Amino acid sequence: MTTLVADAATRKSGKATTMKALVYHGPAKKTFEDHPLPKISAPTDAIVKVIKTTICGTDLHILKGDVPTCKPGRVLGHEGVGVVDSVGAGVTVFRPGDHVLISCISSCGRCEYCRKGMYSHCTTGGWILGNEIDGTQAEYVRIPHADTSLYRVPEGAEEDALVMLSDILPTGFECGVLNGKVQPGDTVAIVGSGPIGLAALLTAQFYSPAEVIMIDLDDNRLEVAKRFGATGAVNSKDGKAAEKVMKMTGGRGVDAAIEAVGVPATFELCEDIVAPGGTIANVGVHGVKADLHLERLWSHNIAITTRLVDTVTTPMLLKTVQSGKIDPKRLITHRFKFDKILDAYDTFGRAASTHALKVLIEA
Amino acid sequence: MTTLVADAATRKSGKATTMKALVYHGPAKKTFEDHPLPKISAPTDAIVKVIKTTICGTDLHILKGDVPTCKPGRVLGHEGVGVVDSVGAGVTVFRPGDHVLISCISSCGRCEYCRKGMYSHCTTGGWILGNEIDGTQAEYVRIPHADTSLYRVPEGAEEDALVMLSDILPTGFECGVLNGKVQPGDTVAIVGSGPIGLAALLTAQFYSPAEVIMIDLDDNRLEVAKRFGATGAVNSKDGKAAEKVMKMTGGRGVDAAIEAVGVPATFELCEDIVAPGGTIANVGVHGVKADLHLERLWSHNIAITTRLVDTVTTPMLLKTVQSGKIDPKRLITHRFKFDKILDAYDTFGRAASTHALKVLIEA
Amino acid sequence: MTTLVADAATRKSGKATTMKALVYHGPAKKTFEDHPLPKISAPTDAIVKVIKTTICGTDLHILKGDVPTCKPGRVLGHEGVGVVDSVGAGVTVFRPGDHVLISCISSCGRCEYCRKGMYSHCTTGGWILGNEIDGTQAEYVRIPHADTSLYRVPEGAEEDALVMLSDILPTGFECGVLNGKVQPGDTVAIVGSGPIGLAALLTAQFYSPAEVIMIDLDDNRLEVAKRFGATGAVNSKDGKAAEKVMKMTGGRGVDAAIEAVGVPATFELCEDIVAPGGTIANVGVHGVKADLHLERLWSHNIAITTRLVDTVTTPMLLKTVQSGKIDPKRLITHRFKFDKILDAYDTFGRAASTHALKVLIEA
Amino acid sequence: MTTLVADAATRKSGKATTMKALVYHGPAKKTFEDHPLPKISAPTDAIVKVIKTTICGTDLHILKGDVPTCKPGRVLGHEGVGVVDSVGAGVTVFRPGDHVLISCISSCGRCEYCRKGMYSHCTTGGWILGNEIDGTQAEYVRIPHADTSLYRVPEGAEEDALVMLSDILPTGFECGVLNGKVQPGDTVAIVGSGPIGLAALLTAQFYSPAEVIMIDLDDNRLEVAKRFGATGAVNSKDGKAAEKVMKMTGGRGVDAAIEAVGVPATFELCEDIVAPGGTIANVGVHGVKADLHLERLWSHNIAITTRLVDTVTTPMLLKTVQSGKIDPKRLITHRFKFDKILDAYDTFGRAASTHALKVLIEA
C-alpha cells in the first residue's frame, strides 16, 4: 500500500469509510489502526482534516490508566492544526478549506460557564477531545461547537508554531502566568521545567518580570530554560530548592510560584517559597492531596489558584505569535510523519533520555 | 482614693506613674493589676487614653499559650477607642484631645508593605499591639506610628460601634468578603457564626449577595445569624453540612466559601462546597495544616486566599457606619466597666452558655 | 371574537399570516397596524410570542427621526417577556413553550466582541431589535441568535419585573454603576432622574454607597428618587447644581458621577462635580459633542467611560431580582393592554405631566 | 574661579550660606545665581545634595508663564539623584550619605490620598518641587516628607538612568501605559514622540503589545521611536494620521491611544482612532478644553483617563531597571556640567534642531 493516509478525493468519492488513528485500548495499550471516519452528528459540528498534531503529557497519563473518563477504543489527541473538511448546518464562522487551530477545549459559547469565559467547564464541552470523544491523533477529527472551538489560522502563520497554541501555551499562560498575576519587576519561580513549565516561562516574559527561577530535577531541562529566558535555575535533587530560592530572593520569597508538575512535593515547595502577598498558581494535574500549611500561611496574605485551561486567551496568544513576541516553535524538539506516531510516542515517553519537549506529528 | 482609674489631672501633675491594666503572665494566667504608665519612646508615638475596649478571640488564644510572640508581662488588647493624651514630635495628624479609633494593626506608612496597602506585614508594625508591645486593655496605651495607625472618630459617631472597627469588622470584610470577591447575586457560605463570621455576614451584605448560608455547631449563633441577614443556616453537628449546602445550591456549590473558624475540618468543608470558579477565603487562625484536595480541585478553577487583616478598609468602613449602611453595635452583647474586666473575660470565655459575641469594656 | 391578538391555534393552522404591531413610518409617524408574522430565517432564530413589552426613551428618539439606522416600516420595541413559539434547527437551549426574557441586545456568542463580553458590538447583532430588524411591540417577534439573546424566566418569577431587565436595568447597572465603580461608602451623583437614572439608583444600592445624590429638573422625579433610596436631591433648574453638590460633599466632589440624560450641559456638570480619582460614567445617548475641560481635568486622575449596554449582567440581575435584592416593578407606573399601545405611547411621551416612568404593555 | 559648587566641608564648617541655583524670575526670565542654602524646616525633611538633575518640558511651561502656582524667585527642577546631606528628627528611613532618587511627587504617606496610592494629590505634597517650593536645579534641595518621597538607589545602579525615574518614566508608565491597560497582543498608538511619549513607548513594551504606532510631526523623533521599539510611525503633518492609523489597524482602531502632547488636536486624534472597547490615556498637560465627540463615542464602550503621575510605581520601575528590562539611559541625548545649565536649557529648548530628548546635568 502506498499511503497510510486516506486521500480526500477517495473520501469524497464516498468509498473510504476508515482512516488511520492512534487508539487507546486500556492501560498501556495503544495501536495505530484503522478507525471509522468521523461524521457530523450535530449541526454545530465540523469535520477537520488534521495536518499537524502532537502528544501531550496528559496522553501519557491516559495510557497509565489515570484518566477514567477516557474509555478503551478512544482516538487520543487534543491538539492540532487542520483544514475544515465539512461543517454542519449551524456552523456560520468556518467553511470547508479554512485552515484552523483546534482548541483542546470545546466551548458551546452558550452555557453559563462559557458566557463567563470559563470554557473549561462548558456544560457540553470542556476537555472532551481525545478523552470523552475521539481526538486529533487521526486523519480526521469531529469538532463539536466548531464556531467557538476552532480558531482561524492567520494569513502567513507558521502552522508548526500554532500547534503549541492548542493546549500547552494557553495552559502555561492562563493557569500559570495570568493566575500568578505576573507583573513587571516581579520575581517568579516555576517548579517544573517540562513543556508546560517552559510554556509558562515563555509567556511569563510577556510581563517583564525581573527574575524567573526555574526548578527541576533534570539539568538538561534547566539548560533549556536558561536559553528560553530563565534568570536562575535550581536543581531540586538535593532537597534544598526552597532554601536556595529563599537565598536568591534575599529571604523574601517569590511573588508568583507556578506549580507545573502535579505532585505534593512540588506544590508544597511552592508553599515554602511564596512571599507574603504572593500567589501560588497551580498548573499541574494532581492525583493525590497535598498538605496545606495553613498554620504558617493563614497570615501570609497569599492566594492559591487552580485552573483547567479555558483557552480564552487563544486570540491574544495568536496576536503575540503573529507579531513575533513569542516563538512557540522553540518547544518543538522532534518531528515525525503521522505514520510514525508510535515512534513519536516512544520518543516523547522517554523524554529524560531523548530530551524531547514537544514532538510534532505531521500528515 | 476609691477610683481604680488614674485621673488625668493627677497624671498630669506628674504624681501618677502607674495605671490599671489586664496583664498576661503566661498560659492561663492573667491579672488586673498596676502597670507602669506608657511613655512616648519614638517621635511618631502617641499615648492614647482608652475609653472603650473589648476582648478578641485572639486574646483567648494568647491565654492558651498559642501565641509565642506574646510574652508574660504583656498588657493584652488590640481594639479600642480613646482620646489622644500626648503625641511625639513627629506626629502631625493628631493632637491631644482628639477622639480616635485604634487599629489593631500598626502601620508605618513608609515600608514596602505599607506602600502596597499590606499594613499587616509592616516591617516595624503589623499586629504588635497586645502582642509584642503593651495593648489596649489598660487605662493608657502607646500607639507607634500614630499618624498611620489611628483614625479620627467622625463627628457624632457612636464610639461603641467604632470599637468593632478596630479589628473584627475589617477582618471579616477584608479577609472574608473582599478576598471572597462577593458580588451581587452571589451565593456565599460562611463557616463559623462567631463574632468574626458574623462580621463577615454583616459586611458581605454591602455587595447584595443573593444567598448567605451560615454554618455552625451552635443553634443560638445560627439564630443570631438569621437576624443579621443570613438567608440559610446549617448546623454542621451531624457531619452533613457539605451535603446540605450542595442541596441548597442545586448541586452547584457556593461562589464564596468564607472560613471563619481555623481548624482543618472547617477549611476542608469549604473545599467540599466551593463551586467551580469560586473562592475559598480563609479568615480563621490555624494551628495545624489542612488537607488540600488538589486531586479534585486542580481543575475547578478556584482561588484560595489567606490574609492577616490589613485594616486598609478602615476609612471605607467608617463611611458605611456613618451613613448607616451597617450597624456594628449589633455585635455587642454585654457591657462591663473597666474594673470588671475579669468578669468580661469570664463571660466572653464561656460564650456557648453566655451567648456572648462581643463584650464592650468601658472606662 | 373581537381579539386583536392572533391565536396560536389559528396561527399553527397556517391561516393567520399577519399580526398586530406598532410600526414606525418615519419621523413622528407610527401606526398600530397589521404586519406580516415573523418567520424563522436562520437556524439560530426563535419566534417569540410577546406577553409583555414596554416603551423606551429610545423609541421616542426614533420617532423624532434621531436614529437613522431605523427605517420606515419597522416594528418598534426592544424589550419584553414572551413565550417561545418556534425555534430554528440550530437552537439548542430553548424549546417552544419556554418563557423567556428578551434582551435588547442580540449576541451571536461567537464573534470577537461577544467572546469578550462586549455583546453590544456583536458583528451580527448588537442593538438591532426594533431598530434594524422588527421589534417586540408586536404579537410575535423574531429573535436572532436566540440561544445567546434570550434568558429563561426563572420559576416563579414576576414577569412584569423582568421586562425591566430587557434594557433599562442592565443599562443603568452596566453603563452607570459598574463603569462608575461604585463601592461601599462612596458618594455618587446621578444626573437625570428618569427611568434610566432611577435604574442606576436602584442598582447602585447593590454596592452600599454612603450617599447617592440625584439631580434633575423635575421635582416629582426627585421625589420618586428619594423613595427609591436617594440620600440627596438637587433640582438643577437654578444652574447651581454643581455648587450645591460640592457643598454637600464638603468641597470634595463625588466618587462617581453618572450621566443619565445625554446633553452637553449634564455631561459638563459631571466634569464639575467629579472628585479627584473619581469616575464619570456616561449612560446618556448624545446627539452632539460636549466640552471636555482637560485644562482642569488633566491632573485630576479621573476616568470617563461610555458604553452601549452589553446585557452581560442579565444573569446576575436575574439572581438579584429572584432573591429580592431589588424590585424593578417599582419603575412601572402605568399599565396598558396591547391594543391600547398608542395610549401607552401618549402617556409615556408626556411623562412630565403623567409622571410616567415605565409603562407596561400586556398581551 | 575654581568651583561653582559649594563644598560640603565648607558648608559643614558653617561658612557657606549660599549655593548656585537656576532661579525663575517670571515669564521668560531665569538666572543661574547664588541662592540661600535650604534648611530643614520640618522634622520629616531631608536636605539632599544634588548629583544629577535634568530639565523637564514642564520647566519650559513654567518659563512661558503657564504655571501660576510657580512664583518668581523659585528654584526650578523636580528630577534628580543625590546624596542625603542631613535629615530631620522624624526621618527614619534615610541617613546622611545615602544615595537617593528624588521623586517629582512629594508624598506624606498619611493623608487620605497617599493611603490610596494617589500621591499626586497628597494634601501637603503632590507636585510642589520646583513649583511651590524650591527644586532640584541647585546644589542642594530640601525634600519634604523625605521617608516617602525619596527612594534608595540600589547597589550598583547607574545613577544617570535613575534620573529618568524621577518623573518621565513613571509619567509615561502610569498615565499612559497602566491607565491605557496595555496587554499582550494589543495595538497601541502613542501621539507625541517627545521624551514623555518615548517613555510611554519604552514602558509599554513591558506588556508585549503586538503593535505600537508612534505619531508625531517630527521625522527625527519618529526615527528614534523606531529604534526604541515602535512597530509603526506616522507623521501627522498632512492631517491624515487618523486615516492612516485606521488603515494600519484594518479599520478597527487601537486598543490604547496614549496622548502625550497636550493640545486639543492630538486628544481629538485619539478619539478618532480608539477602537470600541479601547482606552484613551491622557498624559499631556492641557491648557485649553478639547471637543469630546460623545455623539459618536457614547456607544463605543471606551474609557478616557487623566492622571498626574503618582510615582507609585517607582519601586516597580527600579526593579525593571535593575534587571535590565528597560534602559532609561537611552533617553539621554546631551550632558552638561551643572555650571553650564543655561546651555542645557538652550539645547533642550531647541529640541527640534538639537534633537534633544533628555539633557543630563551633573554636579
Side-chain angles (χ1 to χ4, degrees):
Chain A
M1 189 176 172
T2 54
T3 174
L4 286 164
V5 177
D7 175 81
T10 311
R11 189 166 171 266
K12 278 191 181 136
S13 74
K15 284 170 200 160
T17 57
T18 64
M19 62 177 181
K20 287 289 177 185
L22 191 288
V23 182
Y24 170 68
H25 287 293
K29 290 183 213 150
K30 62 178 182 293
T31 57
F32 185 59
E33 64 180 38
D34 287 320
H35 195 82
L37 276 165
K39 287 178 195 158
I40 284 172
S41 61
T44 47
D45 284 352
I47 302 297
V48 174
K49 182 168 164 37
V50 180
I51 302 174
K52 292 167 196 281
T53 186
T54 183
I55 305 171
C56 181
T58 311
D59 296 325
L60 303 185
H61 275 291
I62 292 173
L63 285 163
K64 281 187 194 142
D66 287 351
V67 182
T69 47
C70 185
K71 308 294 183 199
R74 177 71 61 240
V75 177
L76 296 184
H78 50 264
E79 297 163 278
V81 163
V83 183
V84 175
D85 184 79
S86 56
V87 297
V91 173
T92 61
V93 177
F94 298 103
R95 286 287 154 257
D98 286 350
H99 280 237
V100 289
L101 166 65
I102 300 166
S103 176
C104 66
I105 296 293
S106 302
S107 160
C108 75
R110 310 168 185 205
C111 71
E112 178 192 354
Y113 290 112
C114 283
R115 296 295 261 184
K116 289 197 292 195
M118 224 170 107
Y119 307 164
S120 58
H121 285 67
C122 173
T123 54
T124 58
W127 176 44
I128 53 175
L129 217 55
N131 173 12
E132 300 180 25
I133 64 171
D134 282 343
T136 57
Q137 292 169 7
E139 294 176 67
Y140 292 88
V141 61
R142 180 179 71 88
I143 301 295
H145 306 309
D147 276 346
T148 40
S149 305
L150 297 173
Y151 293 85
R152 194 174 303 282
V153 170
E155 194 126 350
E158 286 187 295
E159 300 197 339
D160 289 8
L162 296 195
V163 175
M164 305 297 113
L165 266 68
S166 287
D167 177 347
I168 192 166
L169 237 67
T171 295
F173 184 52
E174 296 178 8
C175 310
V177 176
L178 288 185
N179 271 10
K181 300 178 208 78
V182 176
Q183 289 300 309
D186 271 4
T187 299
V188 178
I190 300 176
V191 185
S193 188
I196 289 285
L198 292 168
L201 169 61
L202 287 175
T203 54
Q205 294 172 72
F206 287 156
Y207 294 98
S208 308
E211 307 290 339
V212 186
I213 303 165
M214 295 298 286
I215 304 169
D216 203 288
L217 294 162
D218 179 337
D219 281 330
N220 170 61
R221 290 192 156 183
L222 291 173
E223 275 313 305
V224 174
K226 280 188 193 163
R227 288 202 305 274
F228 282 22
T231 59
V234 171
N235 190 311
S236 50
K237 234 179 321 196
D238 60 5
K240 295 188 179 164
E243 206 176 303
K244 286 175 191 169
V245 172
M246 292 311 283
K247 199 171 163 192
M248 291 164 89
T249 58
R252 199 182 149 277
V254 298
D255 298 301
I258 297 176
E259 202 283 347
V261 178
V263 300
T266 47
F267 188 86
E268 289 157 21
L269 172 57
C270 291
E271 298 180 31
D272 289 339
I273 61 177
V274 65
T279 299
I280 299 173
N282 186 76
V283 189
V285 176
H286 291 258
V288 296
K289 71 180 172 66
D291 286 343
L292 181 61
H293 288 285
L294 285 171
E295 79 279 13
R296 184 162 42 81
L297 295 173
W298 75 267
S299 63
H300 281 214
N301 298 34
I302 64 157
I304 298 169
T305 62
T306 73
R307 190 170 184 181
L308 177 57
V309 65
D310 293 303
T311 66
V312 72
T313 60
T314 304
M316 175 192 274
L317 290 169
L318 279 167
K319 290 178 191 167
T320 62
V321 172
Q322 279 307 93
S323 60
K325 298 296 160 192
I326 189 174
D327 179 7
K329 273 203 326 296
R330 300 173 74 183
L331 291 161
I332 302 170
T333 51
H334 297 76
R335 287 160 183 275
F336 297 87
K337 295 305 272 184
F338 180 48
D339 56 4
K340 299 291 182 201
I341 190 168
L342 291 172
D343 294 347
Y345 262 93
D346 178 67
T347 297
F348 186 66
R350 295 185 298 110
S353 59
T354 62
H355 292 181
L357 293 172
K358 291 295 279 186
V359 297
L360 192 77
I361 298 160
E362 305 177 82
Chain B
M1 189 177 174
T2 54
T3 179
L4 286 164
V5 176
D7 175 83
T10 311
R11 190 167 172 266
K12 278 188 182 138
S13 73
K15 285 169 198 159
T17 57
T18 65
M19 62 176 180
K20 286 290 177 185
L22 191 288
V23 182
Y24 170 67
H25 287 293
K29 290 185 215 150
K30 62 176 182 293
T31 57
F32 185 60
E33 65 180 38
D34 287 320
H35 195 84
L37 276 165
K39 288 179 194 157
I40 284 171
S41 61
T44 47
D45 285 350
I47 303 297
V48 175
K49 181 167 162 40
V50 181
I51 303 176
K52 293 168 197 282
T53 185
T54 182
I55 306 170
C56 181
T58 311
D59 296 325
L60 303 186
H61 275 292
I62 292 173
L63 285 163
K64 282 188 193 142
D66 287 351
V67 183
T69 46
C70 185
K71 306 293 183 199
R74 178 69 60 240
V75 177
L76 296 184
H78 50 265
E79 299 162 277
V81 164
V83 183
V84 175
D85 184 79
S86 56
V87 297
V91 173
T92 61
V93 177
F94 299 103
R95 284 289 156 256
D98 286 350
H99 280 238
V100 289
L101 166 66
I102 299 166
S103 177
C104 66
I105 297 294
S106 301
S107 160
C108 75
R110 309 166 185 208
C111 72
E112 179 193 354
Y113 290 112
C114 283
R115 296 295 261 184
K116 289 198 290 193
M118 223 171 107
Y119 307 164
S120 58
H121 286 67
C122 173
T123 54
T124 59
W127 176 43
I128 54 174
L129 216 55
N131 173 13
E132 301 180 25
I133 64 171
D134 283 343
T136 57
Q137 293 169 5
E139 292 177 67
Y140 292 88
V141 61
R142 180 179 70 88
I143 302 295
H145 305 310
D147 275 346
T148 39
S149 307
L150 296 173
Y151 293 86
R152 193 173 304 281
V153 170
E155 192 126 351
E158 287 186 295
E159 301 196 338
D160 289 7
L162 296 195
V163 175
M164 305 298 112
L165 266 69
S166 288
D167 177 347
I168 193 166
L169 237 66
T171 295
F173 184 52
E174 295 178 6
C175 309
V177 176
L178 289 185
N179 270 11
K181 299 177 209 81
V182 177
Q183 287 301 308
D186 271 5
T187 298
V188 178
I190 301 175
V191 185
S193 189
I196 289 285
L198 292 168
L201 170 60
L202 287 175
T203 54
Q205 294 173 71
F206 288 156
Y207 294 98
S208 308
E211 308 289 338
V212 186
I213 302 165
M214 296 297 287
I215 303 169
D216 204 288
L217 294 162
D218 179 336
D219 281 328
N220 171 60
R221 290 192 156 184
L222 291 173
E223 275 312 304
V224 173
K226 280 187 193 164
R227 288 201 305 274
F228 282 22
T231 60
V234 171
N235 190 312
S236 51
K237 234 178 322 194
D238 60 5
K240 295 187 179 164
E243 204 176 303
K244 286 176 190 168
V245 171
M246 292 312 281
K247 200 171 162 192
M248 290 164 89
T249 58
R252 201 180 148 279
V254 300
D255 299 300
I258 297 175
E259 204 283 347
V261 178
V263 299
T266 47
F267 187 86
E268 289 158 21
L269 172 57
C270 291
E271 298 180 32
D272 290 338
I273 61 176
V274 66
T279 301
I280 299 173
N282 187 76
V283 189
V285 177
H286 291 258
V288 296
K289 70 181 174 64
D291 286 343
L292 182 61
H293 288 287
L294 285 171
E295 77 280 13
R296 185 161 42 81
L297 294 173
W298 74 268
S299 63
H300 281 214
N301 297 35
I302 64 156
I304 298 169
T305 62
T306 72
R307 189 169 184 180
L308 177 57
V309 65
D310 293 302
T311 66
V312 72
T313 60
T314 304
M316 176 192 273
L317 289 169
L318 279 167
K319 288 178 193 168
T320 62
V321 172
Q322 277 309 90
S323 60
K325 299 295 160 192
I326 189 174
D327 179 8
K329 273 203 325 295
R330 300 173 75 184
L331 291 161
I332 302 171
T333 51
H334 297 76
R335 285 160 184 276
F336 297 86
K337 294 305 274 183
F338 181 47
D339 55 4
K340 300 293 181 199
I341 190 168
L342 291 172
D343 295 346
Y345 262 93
D346 178 67
T347 296
F348 186 67
R350 294 184 300 110
S353 59
T354 62
H355 293 182
L357 294 172
K358 290 296 277 186
V359 298
L360 192 77
I361 299 160
E362 303 176 84
Chain C
M1 190 174 174
T2 57
T3 179
L4 287 163
V5 176
D7 175 83
T10 311
R11 188 164 173 269
K12 277 188 182 138
S13 73
K15 285 170 199 160
T17 57
T18 65
M19 61 176 181
K20 288 290 177 186
L22 191 288
V23 181
Y24 170 67
H25 286 293
K29 290 184 214 147
K30 62 177 181 296
T31 57
F32 184 60
E33 64 180 39
D34 286 320
H35 194 82
L37 276 165
K39 287 179 195 156
I40 284 171
S41 62
T44 47
D45 284 352
I47 303 298
V48 175
K49 181 167 163 40
V50 181
I51 301 175
K52 293 166 195 284
T53 186
T54 182
I55 306 170
C56 181
T58 311
D59 297 324
L60 302 186
H61 275 292
I62 291 173
L63 285 163
K64 281 187 195 142
D66 287 351
V67 182
T69 47
C70 185
K71 306 295 182 199
R74 178 72 59 237
V75 177
L76 296 184
H78 50 266
E79 297 162 278
V81 164
V83 183
V84 174
D85 184 78
S86 56
V87 297
V91 173
T92 61
V93 177
F94 298 104
R95 285 289 156 255
D98 286 350
H99 280 238
V100 289
L101 166 66
I102 300 166
S103 176
C104 68
I105 296 293
S106 301
S107 160
C108 76
R110 309 167 185 207
C111 71
E112 179 193 354
Y113 291 112
C114 284
R115 296 295 261 184
K116 289 199 290 194
M118 225 171 106
Y119 307 164
S120 58
H121 286 67
C122 173
T123 54
T124 59
W127 175 44
I128 54 174
L129 217 55
N131 172 12
E132 301 180 27
I133 64 171
D134 283 343
T136 58
Q137 292 169 7
E139 293 177 67
Y140 291 88
V141 62
R142 181 179 69 89
I143 302 295
H145 306 310
D147 275 347
T148 39
S149 305
L150 296 174
Y151 293 86
R152 194 174 302 281
V153 170
E155 192 126 351
E158 287 187 295
E159 301 196 338
D160 289 8
L162 297 195
V163 175
M164 305 297 112
L165 265 69
S166 287
D167 177 347
I168 192 167
L169 236 67
T171 296
F173 184 53
E174 295 178 7
C175 310
V177 177
L178 289 185
N179 271 11
K181 299 178 208 81
V182 176
Q183 287 299 310
D186 272 5
T187 299
V188 178
I190 300 175
V191 185
S193 189
I196 290 286
L198 292 168
L201 169 61
L202 287 174
T203 54
Q205 294 172 72
F206 287 155
Y207 294 98
S208 308
E211 308 289 337
V212 187
I213 302 165
M214 296 297 287
I215 304 170
D216 203 288
L217 294 162
D218 179 336
D219 281 329
N220 171 61
R221 290 191 157 185
L222 291 173
E223 276 311 306
V224 173
K226 280 188 194 163
R227 287 202 305 274
F228 281 23
T231 59
V234 171
N235 190 312
S236 50
K237 237 180 317 196
D238 60 5
K240 295 187 179 164
E243 203 176 304
K244 286 175 189 169
V245 171
M246 292 312 280
K247 200 171 163 193
M248 291 164 88
T249 58
R252 199 181 150 279
V254 298
D255 299 300
I258 298 176
E259 204 282 347
V261 178
V263 300
T266 47
F267 188 86
E268 289 156 23
L269 172 57
C270 292
E271 298 181 30
D272 290 338
I273 61 176
V274 66
T279 300
I280 299 174
N282 187 75
V283 189
V285 177
H286 291 257
V288 297
K289 71 181 172 65
D291 286 344
L292 182 61
H293 289 286
L294 285 171
E295 78 279 13
R296 184 161 43 82
L297 295 173
W298 75 268
S299 63
H300 280 213
N301 298 35
I302 64 156
I304 297 170
T305 62
T306 72
R307 189 171 185 180
L308 177 58
V309 64
D310 293 302
T311 66
V312 73
T313 60
T314 304
M316 177 192 272
L317 290 169
L318 279 166
K319 289 178 193 168
T320 63
V321 172
Q322 278 307 92
S323 60
K325 298 296 158 192
I326 189 174
D327 179 8
K329 273 203 325 296
R330 301 173 74 183
L331 291 161
I332 302 170
T333 51
H334 297 75
R335 285 159 184 276
F336 298 87
K337 295 304 273 183
F338 180 48
D339 56 5
K340 300 292 182 199
I341 191 168
L342 291 173
D343 294 347
Y345 262 93
D346 178 67
T347 296
F348 186 67
R350 296 184 298 110
S353 59
T354 63
H355 293 181
L357 294 172
K358 291 296 276 186
V359 297
L360 193 77
I361 298 161
E362 304 176 83
Chain D
M1 186 175 177
T2 55
T3 175
L4 285 164
V5 177
D7 176 82
T10 311
R11 189 165 172 267
K12 278 191 181 137
S13 74
K15 284 171 198 160
T17 58
T18 64
M19 62 176 180
K20 287 289 177 187
L22 191 289
V23 182
Y24 170 67
H25 288 293
K29 290 183 213 147
K30 62 176 183 294
T31 57
F32 185 61
E33 64 180 39
D34 286 320
H35 194 83
L37 276 165
K39 287 178 195 158
I40 284 172
S41 62
T44 47
D45 283 353
I47 303 298
V48 174
K49 181 166 163 40
V50 180
I51 303 175
K52 294 169 195 280
T53 185
T54 182
I55 306 171
C56 181
T58 311
D59 296 324
L60 303 186
H61 275 291
I62 292 172
L63 285 162
K64 283 188 193 142
D66 287 351
V67 182
T69 46
C70 186
K71 308 292 182 202
R74 177 71 59 240
V75 177
L76 296 184
H78 49 266
E79 297 162 278
V81 164
V83 183
V84 174
D85 184 79
S86 56
V87 297
V91 173
T92 61
V93 176
F94 299 103
R95 286 289 153 256
D98 287 349
H99 280 238
V100 289
L101 166 65
I102 299 166
S103 177
C104 68
I105 296 294
S106 302
S107 161
C108 74
R110 309 167 185 207
C111 71
E112 178 193 354
Y113 290 112
C114 284
R115 295 296 262 184
K116 289 198 290 193
M118 224 171 107
Y119 308 164
S120 59
H121 285 68
C122 173
T123 54
T124 58
W127 176 45
I128 54 175
L129 216 56
N131 173 11
E132 301 180 26
I133 64 172
D134 282 345
T136 57
Q137 292 169 7
E139 293 177 69
Y140 291 88
V141 61
R142 180 180 70 89
I143 302 295
H145 306 309
D147 276 345
T148 40
S149 306
L150 296 173
Y151 293 86
R152 193 173 303 281
V153 170
E155 192 126 351
E158 286 186 296
E159 300 196 339
D160 289 7
L162 296 195
V163 175
M164 305 298 114
L165 265 69
S166 288
D167 177 348
I168 192 167
L169 236 66
T171 294
F173 185 52
E174 296 178 6
C175 309
V177 176
L178 288 185
N179 271 9
K181 300 177 208 81
V182 176
Q183 288 300 309
D186 271 6
T187 299
V188 178
I190 300 175
V191 186
S193 190
I196 289 284
L198 292 168
L201 169 61
L202 287 175
T203 54
Q205 293 173 72
F206 287 155
Y207 294 98
S208 307
E211 307 289 338
V212 186
I213 303 164
M214 295 298 287
I215 304 170
D216 203 287
L217 294 162
D218 179 336
D219 280 330
N220 171 61
R221 291 193 155 183
L222 291 173
E223 275 313 305
V224 174
K226 280 187 194 164
R227 287 201 306 274
F228 282 23
T231 59
V234 171
N235 190 311
S236 50
K237 235 180 317 196
D238 59 6
K240 295 188 179 164
E243 204 176 304
K244 285 175 190 169
V245 171
M246 292 312 281
K247 199 171 163 193
M248 291 163 90
T249 58
R252 199 180 149 278
V254 299
D255 299 300
I258 298 175
E259 204 283 348
V261 178
V263 300
T266 48
F267 188 85
E268 289 157 21
L269 173 57
C270 291
E271 299 181 31
D272 290 338
I273 62 177
V274 65
T279 301
I280 299 173
N282 186 77
V283 188
V285 177
H286 291 258
V288 295
K289 72 182 172 65
D291 286 343
L292 182 61
H293 288 287
L294 285 172
E295 77 280 12
R296 185 160 42 81
L297 295 173
W298 74 268
S299 63
H300 280 214
N301 298 35
I302 64 156
I304 298 168
T305 61
T306 72
R307 190 170 184 179
L308 176 58
V309 65
D310 294 302
T311 65
V312 72
T313 60
T314 304
M316 176 193 273
L317 290 169
L318 280 167
K319 289 178 194 169
T320 63
V321 172
Q322 278 307 92
S323 60
K325 299 294 159 192
I326 191 174
D327 179 8
K329 273 202 326 294
R330 302 173 73 184
L331 291 161
I332 302 170
T333 50
H334 296 75
R335 286 159 183 276
F336 296 89
K337 294 305 272 183
F338 180 49
D339 56 4
K340 300 292 182 201
I341 190 167
L342 291 172
D343 294 347
Y345 262 93
D346 179 67
T347 296
F348 185 67
R350 296 184 298 108
S353 60
T354 62
H355 292 181
L357 294 172
K358 290 296 278 184
V359 298
L360 194 76
I361 299 159
E362 304 176 83

